[in-house]
């Protein structure tokens, strides 16, 4: 399972399903944004929804695969655009583009909120049952959106950077949190995990969980990643297990 197509096939399309995947344009304070929306048109009525936030390469085929997989599970899924329409950086510039948002967390949160608002406005979405998830940069973004107190039932980070705030900035979190991280990820070392956990502990009522996958490097759930010298490499085992963890988490928070 080393390609995006391989991963996509791990969630087969149900019999009788009518999966629609469409490009969606929307706006944030004059900046054009372009995301991707997936849903099963054979299902009628509002249903739970998942906001998916891209890694540092922007909205791409990986995001499209993940929202398609979620639609096959019966959810409405929207791949939000944090960067802006047409901004899809390659490896040589992705760090710089993502870094600009890490340096401006209010803008990062605002762009994520714009994606959430667009998803919530869809007539097939139950606005009381929405989860945000993301990969790498998107995982960090998912957790930052949860910090705003957004009306979410859950937030999931796949190998996202764990930004600890000083002073603590967790008092507004109402979502349940699931962090899926690599045990061999130099971008998110044990010290970063510990600092994030310590911040969460400042508000005992927050429901959070961290799962660590042995031997998994950064971007372990992004097929095609193969830069072990830079601490990033796809790992099929961690990808498979983390997706199962996501499915169990969605079952739990959407049933509550």
């Amino acid at each position: 399972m080393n390609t995006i197509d391989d991963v996509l096939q791990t969630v087969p399309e149900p019999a009788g399903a009518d999966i629609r995947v469409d490009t969606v344009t929307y706006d944030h304070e004059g900046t054009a944004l372009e995301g991707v929306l997936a849903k099963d048109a054979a299902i009628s009525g509002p249903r739970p929804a998942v906001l998916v936030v891209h890694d540092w390469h922007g909205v791409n085929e990986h995001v499209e695969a993940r929202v398609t997989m979620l639609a096959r599970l019966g959810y409405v899924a929207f791949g939000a655009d944090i960067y802006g329409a047409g901004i899809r950086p390659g490896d040589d510039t992705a760090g710089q583009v993502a870094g600009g948002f890490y340096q401006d967390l209010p803008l990062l949160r605002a762009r994520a909120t714009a994606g959430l608002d667009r998803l919530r406005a869809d007539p097939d979405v139950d606005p009381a049952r929405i989860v945000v998830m993301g990969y790498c940069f998107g995982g960090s973004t998912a957790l930052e959106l949860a910090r705003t107190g957004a009306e979410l039932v859950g937030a999931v980070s796949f190998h996202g950077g764990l930004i600890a705030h000083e002073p603590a900035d967790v008092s507004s979190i109402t979502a349940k949190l699931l962090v899926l991280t690599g045990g061999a990820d130099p971008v998110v070392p044990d010290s970063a995990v510990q600092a994030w956990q310590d911040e969460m502990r400042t508000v005992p009522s927050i429901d959070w969980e961290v799962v660590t996958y042995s031997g998994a490097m950064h971007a372990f759930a992004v097929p095609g990643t193969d830069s072990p010298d830079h601490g990033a490499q796809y790992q099929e085992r961690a990808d498979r297990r983390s997706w199962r963890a996501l499915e169990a988490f969605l079952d739990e928070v959407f049933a509550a």
Side-chain angles (χ1 to χ4, degrees), residues 33-218:
L33 304 171
E34 189 173 275
V36 57
L37 181 72
K39 67 175 75 173
D40 185 351
I43 300 175
S44 61
R47 71 210 73 157
V50 183
L51 182 69
V52 180
V53 186
H54 55 78
D55 64 17
W56 69 354
H57 290 118
V59 179
N60 57 14
E61 64 275 10
H62 180 239
V63 173
E64 183 172 336
R66 297 299 183 179
V67 297
T68 300
M69 293 164 71
L70 289 162
R72 290 175 177 177
L73 293 173
Y75 307 119
V76 176
F78 182 53
D81 180 11
I82 304 299
Y83 291 165
I87 302 177
R88 307 292 184 257
D91 290 339
D92 55 338
T93 58
Q96 180 179 358
V97 175
F101 285 89
Y102 280 128
Q103 295 300 314
D104 190 349
L105 292 182
L107 178 59
L108 177 69
R109 292 179 175 190
R111 289 284 173 86
T113 300
L116 177 61
D117 290 343
R118 177 60 185 83
L119 176 59
R120 182 172 281 122
D122 189 285
D124 291 318
V125 169
D126 178 351
R129 292 190 292 169
I130 300 178
V131 164
V132 62
M133 59 177 274
Y135 294 82
C136 299
F137 170 82
S140 302
T141 303
L143 297 175
E144 286 300 312
L145 181 59
R147 287 176 183 269
T148 69
E151 295 182 15
L152 300 161
V153 295
V156 184
S157 169
F158 287 80
H159 43 74
L162 299 179
I163 303 170
H165 292 244
E166 180 61 45
D169 181 28
V170 296
S171 61
S172 296
I173 294 176
T174 59
K176 296 181 180 180
L177 309 178
L178 175 62
V179 169
L180 306 166
T181 194
D185 185 348
V187 180
V188 190
D190 291 348
S191 58
V193 176
Q194 186 64 55
W196 185 85
Q197 291 181 144
D198 286 345
E199 187 183 4
M200 295 303 116
R201 291 186 179 105
T202 64
V203 177
S205 61
I206 296 174
D207 185 338
W208 58 271
E209 178 180 4
V210 175
V211 181
T212 303
Y213 298 100
S214 64
M217 292 186 176
H218 199 60

